[in-house]
Amino acid sequence: AAAVLVTGGMSLQAGLSEQKAKNEYDSIRQEVVVEPAAVEETEETREKNYPDLKIDFAKLTETNPDFRGWLYFPALDISYPVVQGEDNSYYLKRSFEGESVNAGCIFMDSEASADWSDRNTFIFGHNMRDGSMFGTFKNLFKGTTSCEEDPYFYIYTEDNVYIYEIFSYYETRGDSDRYATFTSEASYDDYVQWATEHSLYASDADLSDRGNIVTLSTCYGSAGTNRRALIHGVLTETAEY
């Protein structure tokens, strides 16, 4: 499942590509997403256990049929469409609208179930210098940002909102067994036990029900290394959207 995500050295062309990608994703957010701060609070929205984003799923699917959901991670200021290619290379240098950009897309593993039903679904994104895509991971790992007050990220689909509580994050290698799928309850337990013991974050998340996991992955450290940063979230609730 592991994808090779390398950002390379900075150049004028790379800088222009990053700006092009930033402009595109800013435009997508403005056109298809209304963030919670802009939504009028009502008794109904206060009762929801998730940020009340208003998302135009029809437009997103029309723009790119590979669209699988919207990832919203408030603590790291991450808000992007998630796509799924036929392999894990297609979206490395291709934007949501199909443009050639270094930032690529946020994409789920090509072999994952498109309905987010796998026991461990991997989502990949570049560690961009400007903090876009998964570039804010470094703030969490270096301790300049915390997820303690808001340890959740969310996947929005046309029908459901999947709420994930962060239970672990750490560095690993791109060829490590952290990119494994589960074949039994015992292998699930072994996986989360290792992740919890090696985590840079002490979580109170309840894993006793063996909820499905979403793992966010990006490159970490200098270009060309095999280091990865992983963030694990366990599904705590599925709400109707």
Side-chain angles (χ1 to χ4, degrees):
V4 179
L5 300 177
V6 181
T7 52
M10 177 58 83
S11 65
L12 176 60
Q13 184 177 1
L16 291 173
S17 177
E18 288 185 13
Q19 187 59 46
K20 181 180 180 182
K22 183 180 185 303
N23 293 343
E24 178 186 314
Y25 287 111
D26 285 348
S27 177
I28 290 172
R29 286 188 207 96
Q30 290 169 8
E31 291 178 13
V32 303
V33 178
V34 180
E35 303 246 343
V39 176
E40 183 178 351
E41 188 176 87
T42 64
E43 186 173 339
E44 181 186 358
T45 61
R46 280 194 294 271
E47 290 176 353
K48 293 179 178 177
N49 292 332
Y50 57 87
D52 194 32
L53 271 64
K54 304 298 185 186
I55 301 172
D56 188 342
F57 290 101
K59 185 163 189 175
L60 286 162
T61 303
E62 180 184 353
T63 302
N64 189 337
D66 290 340
F67 172 71
R68 297 291 181 264
W70 192 275
L71 171 64
Y72 186 58
F73 191 159
L76 294 187
D77 196 26
I78 291 171
S79 185
Y80 287 100
V82 180
V83 295
Q84 184 179 34
E86 292 185 0
D87 56 46
N88 284 343
S89 300
Y90 185 78
Y91 281 107
L92 284 175
K93 299 290 185 182
R94 212 175 252 101
S95 73
F96 186 76
E97 295 179 353
E99 298 288 328
S100 177
V101 293
N102 288 338
C105 256
I106 303 297
F107 62 95
M108 70 192 298
D109 182 63
S110 61
E111 298 180 1
S113 299
D115 62 358
W116 303 94
S117 62
D118 290 350
R119 302 305 308 280
N120 193 6
T121 300
F122 290 89
I123 303 179
F124 303 102
H126 282 300
N127 177 8
M128 301 302 290
R129 299 173 190 78
D130 63 0
S132 63
M133 312 313 282
F134 284 171
T136 52
F137 276 34
K138 63 178 76 76
N139 300 333
L140 189 63
F141 279 65
K142 291 178 180 177
T144 57
T145 296
S146 171
C147 64
E148 289 186 12
E149 291 185 9
D150 188 6
Y152 295 92
F153 62 81
Y154 310 84
I155 302 290
Y156 296 75
T157 67
E158 195 164 5
D159 298 318
N160 296 305
V161 181
Y162 301 100
I163 303 170
Y164 298 89
E165 183 173 1
I166 298 161
F167 68 90
S168 174
Y169 58 81
Y170 52 84
E171 284 185 55
T172 188
R173 290 176 54 84
D175 54 359
S176 77
D177 61 4
R178 298 293 89 200
Y179 292 93
T181 54
F182 308 125
T183 55
S184 66
E185 291 187 350
S187 61
Y188 179 101
D189 293 342
D190 288 344
Y191 186 94
V192 299
Q193 180 179 347
W194 190 99
T196 303
E197 290 176 352
H198 291 80
S199 178
L200 300 173
Y201 164 64
S203 167
D204 295 326
D206 183 3
L207 293 152
S208 60
D209 290 338
R210 299 186 178 93
N212 288 348
I213 293 169
V214 160
T215 300
L216 311 178
S217 172
T218 192
C219 280
Y220 198 64
S222 56
T225 65
N226 197 25
R227 293 164 64 198
R228 300 290 185 270
L230 298 190
I231 300 176
H232 297 299
V234 62
L235 183 66
T236 60
E237 183 182 348
T238 300
E240 288 189 8
Y241 182 71

